[in-house]
Amino acid sequence: VNALMYHIKDLSGINGVLRPGIVHRIDKDTTGVLVVCKNDMAHKSLAEQLKEHSITRKYEAIVYNNFTQEEGTVDAPIGRSPADRKKMAVEPKNGKRAVTHYKVLSHLNHQFNHIECQLETGRTHQIRVHMSSIGHPLLGDQVYGPKKCPFPNLEGQTLHAMVLGFVHPVTKEYLEFTAPLPQYFEKLQKKLI
């Protein structure tokens, strides 16, 4: 935030001083592309697109266990876990609608798969909760997955915000941005093949 404030003096103040210009967040220890608005008009436009679910958000992840289907959809409401208020969970009673579409990009070995997830909605920890709920927790996710990671030097979950697409607030042109996989992710993939 401080770097943004230094370089761009007219950031949107809609989300307050802690998150100026930020339209959506990515989880701690998640890498990838993020959009920051420089003014309130742009922020309102992108926030509305996010609310209408018209922003393209694709993530890549490495998850445990083989899939029986190469692609699918998890449509399960997410809310605060009644067992642990610091965690989110699939909560049919008190959760909000959450939809994640996934497809297997490659089978890395008998224990892991490289997948793509596209968000239809945007709930806190959505991909992490949904994948864990169907038996495919993210590698390195110590909150929703196994406590012991087979790769002790891995920092955080293997989740990367690969693609972000939206309609430009002024030109009305559809724009799409990508962030290449980080080196640690690519090295891990090669190790698992």
Side-chain angles (χ1 to χ4, degrees):
V1 170
N2 288 334
L4 289 171
M5 295 298 287
Y6 177 80
H7 290 288
I8 307 170
K9 304 297 182 207
D10 194 25
L11 281 174
S12 166
I14 289 175
N15 279 339
V17 294
L18 295 179
R19 295 191 313 149
I22 305 293
V23 178
H24 71 102
R25 301 179 312 181
I26 55 178
D27 295 342
K28 181 180 181 240
D29 295 329
T30 297
T31 56
V33 67
L34 193 65
V35 65
V36 178
C37 295
K38 292 168 69 174
N39 59 53
D40 288 347
M41 184 278 298
H43 199 175
K44 287 176 185 167
S45 172
L46 289 174
E48 188 60 31
Q49 290 179 57
L50 195 61
K51 184 179 174 186
E52 293 171 353
H53 311 300
S54 62
I55 290 183
T56 302
R57 289 169 296 157
K58 294 181 182 178
Y59 290 73
E60 291 192 19
I62 297 175
V63 297
Y64 284 89
N65 306 321
N66 281 322
F67 287 83
T68 54
Q69 298 176 322
E70 293 295 301
E71 57 186 72
T73 298
V74 182
D75 187 344
I78 293 178
R80 289 262 166 225
S81 168
D84 183 347
R85 302 299 293 161
K86 293 179 185 174
K87 291 172 72 172
M88 305 304 283
V90 169
E91 271 298 304
K93 200 174 183 182
N94 299 315
K96 291 184 180 176
R97 184 166 188 254
V99 181
T100 304
H101 306 282
Y102 67 87
K103 69 178 176 182
V104 175
L105 298 176
S106 62
H107 300 279
L108 298 175
N109 62 20
H110 298 297
Q111 191 178 4
F112 300 102
N113 286 276
H114 177 205
I115 64 168
E116 175 186 275
C117 293
Q118 183 161 352
L119 296 179
E120 190 173 309
T121 57
R123 304 290 171 226
T124 301
H125 302 169
Q126 181 172 319
I127 293 170
R128 297 165 63 196
V129 170
H130 273 170
M131 289 298 103
S132 183
S133 76
I134 63 168
H136 300 284
L138 274 65
L139 176 61
D141 188 346
Q142 295 186 341
V143 176
Y144 301 104
K147 297 295 178 221
K148 188 166 178 166
C149 181
F151 302 95
N153 295 330
L154 194 60
E155 294 179 25
Q157 66 274 353
T158 51
L159 183 61
H160 179 72
M162 186 68 127
V163 176
L164 185 67
F166 55 87
V167 175
H168 191 282
V170 176
T171 67
K172 305 302 180 202
E173 176 187 3
Y174 178 77
L175 303 171
E176 200 166 87
F177 301 92
T178 60
L181 286 172
Q183 281 186 341
Y184 87 90
F185 199 112
E186 289 181 330
K187 284 180 184 175
L188 187 57
Q189 274 182 296
K190 288 176 185 166
K191 193 182 282 188
L192 293 170
I193 291 177

